[in-house]
Amino acid sequence: MEDGDYGKYPMVSKYNRDQIEAIILAHNHLRSLNPHELSKLRSKIEGYLRFRKEVYEFQRYYFSEICTNQCFENNYSACCNLEAVAIFFADVVINVLLSSDQEIYHLLEALRMGSRGFKCVYLGNSGCIWRLKPIACEMFLCKDAKAAVFTKNNVALRQWEEFKCREKAYTWPDKPVLFDDLEEYFIKAGFSSDIMYFHKSPGLLKIKSLAKIRKGYS
Ligand code: SF4
């Protein structure tokens, strides 16, 4: 897959172009790996996928009515009314690992089409077109949805708080975490992407360096 064609679309924003480049980079590199290397990478994300499944099932159980029936089907989709969603390079890698070539093509086409005003470019007719949506999207609940469920259900609230803590085990780099590791994996293979925030964002770099000083991990 080449990114040259996307140079023909000067209207593509830097934000979308960074994602196009990251998707193509991840796709090309993953396709070049031998089956053994690919299976090592797949086992690295197994625990995370189990976590995502649990969160998905929780959301489906408690929120499908309010989110699907009251929001998505009314064409409001409050949680996807953003032009720029926080997407990590690891989100891209994991999604590419799980996606078919056709699904990746659709993501690239959505990015190429560019801004849809107040809607996320990835919002299709049947919902998000990612095979496994970015973690920031999965862990976002709007205040109306939270109020509708959590004010009358303490068990659900406690479960959600537990998920928010568990999310940090993959994404909060005050210790070695999957999202940082996956970037590292690609950096060691000689690649770079502007959405490798665990290696480029001043905020995340600060968390990492403070943790290293505090705990002495390297
Ligand atoms: S990436 Fe998917 S889930 Fe996230 S805002 Fe866009 S359409 Fe919604």
Side-chain angles (χ1 to χ4, degrees):
M1 199 172 277
E2 298 293 331
D3 63 356
D5 285 351
Y6 291 93
K8 292 182 202 156
Y9 302 97
M11 298 309 286
V12 174
S13 66
K14 158 102 173 81
Y15 173 79
N16 286 3
R17 184 176 293 273
D18 286 346
Q19 286 176 54
I20 288 171
E21 287 169 0
I23 291 170
I24 292 172
L25 186 169
H27 184 250
N28 285 349
H29 184 57
L30 293 175
R31 276 208 349 192
S32 76
L33 296 178
N34 64 44
H36 176 63
E37 198 54 35
L38 212 45
S39 114
K40 273 199 332 204
L41 212 45
R42 287 189 199 284
S43 18
K44 213 176 174 57
I45 66 167
E46 270 172 11
Y48 176 70
L49 294 183
R50 279 195 298 275
F51 166 68
R52 289 294 302 264
K53 188 164 186 289
E54 282 181 56
V55 176
Y56 170 78
E57 277 165 6
F58 171 88
Q59 298 235 14
R60 198 172 54 156
Y61 185 79
Y62 288 108
F63 288 92
S64 66
E65 197 178 327
I66 183 162
C67 295
T68 308
N69 303 349
Q70 293 181 31
C71 197
F72 180 71
E73 283 174 4
N74 287 340
N75 209 20
Y76 185 52
S77 295
C79 56
C80 302
N81 279 351
L82 297 167
E83 208 188 329
V85 181
I87 293 177
F88 295 109
F89 186 74
D91 283 317
V92 170
V93 172
I94 294 164
N95 191 55
V96 169
L97 266 172
L98 301 173
S99 298
S100 66
D101 286 354
Q102 183 73 359
E103 286 167 328
I104 291 166
Y105 174 79
H106 285 141
L107 294 176
L108 293 172
E109 279 303 287
L111 286 161
R112 180 180 66 75
M113 297 305 287
S115 170
R116 296 177 55 210
F118 60 91
K119 295 269 188 231
C120 173
V121 294
Y122 297 120
L123 185 62
N125 292 336
S126 313
C128 181
I129 60 170
W130 281 53
R131 162 70 59 175
L132 190 75
K133 65 170 91 161
I135 184 76
C137 302
E138 186 72 289
M139 300 307 291
F140 175 81
L141 291 173
C142 76
K143 74 176 169 25
D144 290 346
K146 282 198 282 197
V149 173
F150 294 149
T151 46
K152 51 188 182 205
N153 193 327
N154 239 333
V155 175
L157 175 60
R158 278 203 304 277
Q159 177 69 72
W160 181 245
E161 284 166 351
E162 189 204 311
F163 283 139
K164 294 292 278 183
C165 285
R166 284 171 63 193
E167 175 196 5
K168 290 187 173 175
Y170 303 103
T171 61
W172 193 253
D174 59 351
K175 59 204 164 298
V177 290
L178 176 69
F179 273 45
D180 192 14
D181 285 356
L182 287 175
E183 283 187 10
E184 191 78 28
Y185 181 92
F186 276 77
I187 289 168
K188 282 187 177 152
F191 300 107
S192 175
S193 157
D194 280 1
I195 66 166
M196 288 177 169
Y197 299 122
F198 286 82
H199 290 80
K200 296 190 178 185
S201 145
L204 289 173
L205 287 173
K206 190 169 176 193
I207 293 167
K208 284 163 71 171
S209 67
L210 286 175
K212 280 180 189 171
I213 294 165
R214 212 168 44 242
K215 298 177 187 169
Y217 91 75
S218 60

